[in-house]
Amino acid sequence: MPRTFTLASRASQLAQVQTNIVLSSLRAIFPPDTKDDSSPSFTTSFMTTAGDKNQSQALYLIGGKALWTKELEVALKERDVDMLIHSLKDVPTTLPEGCILGAILEREDPVDSLVVKQDEIWKTLDDLPSGSVVGTSSVRRVAQLKRKYPHLKFLDVRGNLNSRLAKLDALDGPYAALILAKAGLVRLGMGNRISSDVSPPTLYHAVSQGALGIEIRSDDTEALKLCKKLTHRETSWKCSAERACLRVLEGGCSVPVGVASKLVDGEAGEVLTLTGCVTGIDGQEHVEHTLSEAVKSVEDAERVGEKLARILMDTGAKKILDDINVDRDRRVSEAHTADGTTAVESG
């Protein structure tokens, strides 16, 4: 009998849209109305994760990327579902035993974008008046942007895109603008809200930002064959290099590590150029380096990422990351109230 594969993700609107992108790709390969009785079929399942349930605390303080994946991975390992569809930037760089990254799909533009309050005339961060409040849940964005914009204030903002935009546009709300991943806005049809992109070297994006990843069981050979049909080689090589860099540096979610990658043809084959940076929480300390090396495989790309991470560690990143861990522990302790929850300003 042909197999039915269950694609699962978080229940957020964006996660469902992304899952349906993968579903459409698979159905394009195996149309539902095919006359081939051996062709697989596909269905979806959506669930709420710990990261969705806690919308009050800053991501920097409440944990790593497993906040978005743990419940899904339990369902995968128990064989309730067959493929997990993730925003790859939310996937830990080390997966649980028995799970592998089966596919990386073609990436959307990975940059971050500025979205200003509705009906305001500002277009860029340079336009914002001194003291303006910029909302973001990313310590990476705060750390990097404080370097160039020390006159702006940064405040944590949680929730799905619709709720964050509602908080931005509220007349009595504190936010003048938000910094959001461009890919999510585009996928939800909200690209019209983008005022401008905030790209390198002003702001290096998160590792694997803009890419979708499919997580499967390591022993599921049928799922792996399907995933290979969906993998975009260039995106896979670049994201694998970025993830390898982060894995050596720290591996956590709320760490101010920014990257940018490029894969181009060179005289000796393809050349991967990878830039990585680590920035102190206050924006004062910043370590940045770029490597360009010829690559012939995803393993070569990963080695470039690992090499870049070691260079960053040797030139100051280790001290920055150690200081960040001390700061996080202190703020977690300060943030605890009688019921153990509180909203915390980022940065």
Side-chain angles (χ1 to χ4, degrees), residues 30-282:
F30 303 99
D33 58 352
T34 181
K35 295 180 180 180
D36 184 355
D37 292 337
S38 66
S39 295
S41 57
F42 307 95
T43 186
T44 57
S45 175
F46 304 104
M47 62 186 70
T48 301
T49 67
D52 298 305
K53 294 171 185 174
N54 187 333
Q55 294 292 334
S56 62
Q57 288 181 284
L59 291 175
Y60 174 57
L61 304 180
I62 62 175
K65 300 185 180 189
L67 283 169
W68 310 115
T69 60
K70 186 174 182 180
E71 288 91 345
L72 290 163
E73 286 168 340
V74 169
L76 179 67
K77 295 177 78 172
E78 292 182 351
R79 300 181 182 273
D80 295 327
V81 301
D82 302 293
M83 297 179 174
L84 305 182
I85 313 305
H86 301 297
S87 290
L88 190 54
K89 71 181 180 66
D90 295 332
V91 179
T93 55
T94 301
L95 298 180
E97 184 177 354
C99 298
I100 61 171
L101 194 59
I104 299 176
L105 279 68
E106 186 170 6
R107 192 180 213 168
E108 286 278 359
D109 190 340
V111 300
D112 292 299
S113 294
L114 178 74
V115 178
V116 303
K117 188 184 287 288
Q118 209 160 36
D119 299 327
E120 290 291 355
I121 62 172
W122 308 309
K123 295 296 182 183
T124 69
L125 283 166
D126 296 295
D127 297 334
L128 296 180
S130 181
S132 294
V133 176
V134 178
T136 175
S137 57
S138 164
V139 68
R140 167 189 57 85
R141 294 172 182 144
V142 173
Q144 291 187 58
L145 292 176
K146 277 186 174 181
R147 299 181 65 228
K148 186 173 180 180
Y149 302 100
H151 59 287
L152 299 179
K153 296 181 179 179
F154 297 91
L155 187 66
D156 194 71
V157 57
R158 294 289 310 282
N160 60 40
L161 276 176
N162 287 321
S163 64
R164 279 184 276 178
L165 289 172
K167 292 174 183 178
L168 169 66
D169 294 332
L171 294 178
D172 58 349
Y175 305 103
L178 303 179
I179 302 289
L180 300 166
K182 183 175 185 177
L185 290 163
V186 170
R187 287 181 178 135
L188 285 177
M190 298 179 181
N192 62 305
R193 286 301 308 264
I194 295 174
S195 303
S196 60
D197 292 336
V198 190
S199 52
T202 298
L203 181 57
Y204 287 94
H205 58 75
V207 165
S208 300
Q209 186 160 301
L212 300 182
I214 304 178
E215 186 177 356
I216 60 174
R217 293 182 295 275
S218 57
D219 62 355
D220 193 340
T221 55
E222 290 180 88
L224 183 58
K225 288 179 182 178
L226 296 180
C227 285
K228 286 183 177 179
K229 296 178 183 294
L230 300 179
T231 291
H232 185 254
R233 186 183 64 85
E234 180 180 338
T235 301
S236 176
W237 287 19
K238 291 194 292 186
C239 287
S240 295
E242 295 172 13
R243 284 171 59 80
C245 180
L246 180 59
R247 185 164 51 246
V248 173
L249 284 173
E250 226 275 347
C253 177
S254 296
V255 174
V257 175
V259 293
S261 57
K262 182 170 61 174
L263 187 66
V264 299
D265 290 330
E267 292 182 3
E270 290 180 290
V271 176
L272 174 67
T273 298
L274 180 64
T275 299
C277 68
V278 180
T279 312
I281 297 298
D282 60 4

